[in-house]
Amino acid sequence: MKIITTVLVLLYLYTLAFGIFMTPIFRIPAPMIFCLPLLLFCKDDLPTGFRYGRTLLLLLVACLLYDVVGLSAINSFAAHGIAIFLCVCFFNYYVGNDSGRLRLTIYVFFAWLVCSSMVMVMDHFVDNTFVLRTLLMGEPIQQSPSGISIYQFTFGYQVAALTSFAFIHSCVYRQPFIIKSTVFLLCIVFLFLGMQRSAFIAFMAVVAVFMLFYYGSSALFSLSLVTIICIGIYNYVLKDNLGNMENIVTKNVHNDAAYNRSGLVEENLRIYLDYPYGLIFYGKSWGDVIYRDYVFASGITSHNAYLMFFTYLGPFLGLGLLIAIYFKVMTVIVYAIRFIRNPANAMLVALSFSFIGVSINALSHNPWLIAADGPTLFLYFAMIHQYRQQEQQILQPDAPFNKMAYV
């Protein structure tokens, strides 16, 4: 039974991490295939009660308004709703009060992201990785280089979550300097070869904020050291050893000015000002309002998840839902930062800053929490669940299922 349970956990987290939903192989949603049997096998361990009812309702309402009312995409709503519901059930029922399961789940999830980053690196150095990546995803790959993902931007969320978590995890768990340096070097390599500028910005912002809170007055020295290391790694390790290989610098040089993110956001803001209450209140769709910009007319958006959300739902409904959805998670982040040097909060701090990283990444892309983006969705519930387990440990310090809470 333990073997079956372990396999199901691995496969479910695989589908969640890489956004695998329905492929030519799986004509039933893949998360259902692995998550529902997992709950069935663990039915004797299931805790009573459902602790995420309000959060689930808020997420589903936001999906309904955005996907169905705004985009008229009923299939997207169904897919997002199923992914969110199963993720909630996984944490509420499988992980439950068991801190050991939570810790194992977190490490397995990030291990999958490491695998994806290694596949991305291999995609640069090894020919014909298309077949392997197609096999791992279960459907044809559309963009390269990237890891276990169909598109490059999807990989961007993976690397933003992984790099932020890995480096800060090495710091809060007080690893030796050589370990921290090695982890940081790997993060830079993944970001450099992954060609995700938004993920790179997210990582640097997260590292800067973390160091300011964690190291205090010595943060300026640490940040200066990090900057010097980054420049040194680029000039003496990466620049002269990659030849004509694609990287984040070459992507920036060859970037089409028409697809500049600031220009797309500026045009989106003009559209928003024309329809300040939200497109759904004017009976408009995105296609009805983009006639002035030929780039938008080609089928893309401003690539800012939050701005698009407000464009459809307006400031009142959109902002209200956003505050309600993020209220709990912001409470957790504030708590993690307030007690950032407490060893008991090490995992919570790493998860919180990783979530901040993917949230910053969403400023330049469309997927985010209500789009059931795998890393964002997992981090959202993982950090809330970690916080609740620690609260329970404080209330019941002798509870057997919480003995690992502060390990």
Side-chain angles (χ1 to χ4, degrees), residues 117-136:
S117 295
M118 296 304 294
V119 169
M120 179 275 299
V121 173
M122 186 172 63
D123 194 24
H124 281 275
F125 292 94
V126 180
D127 294 332
N128 299 322
T129 58
F130 176 83
V131 175
L132 172 63
R133 294 172 59 217
T134 299
L135 179 64
L136 292 173

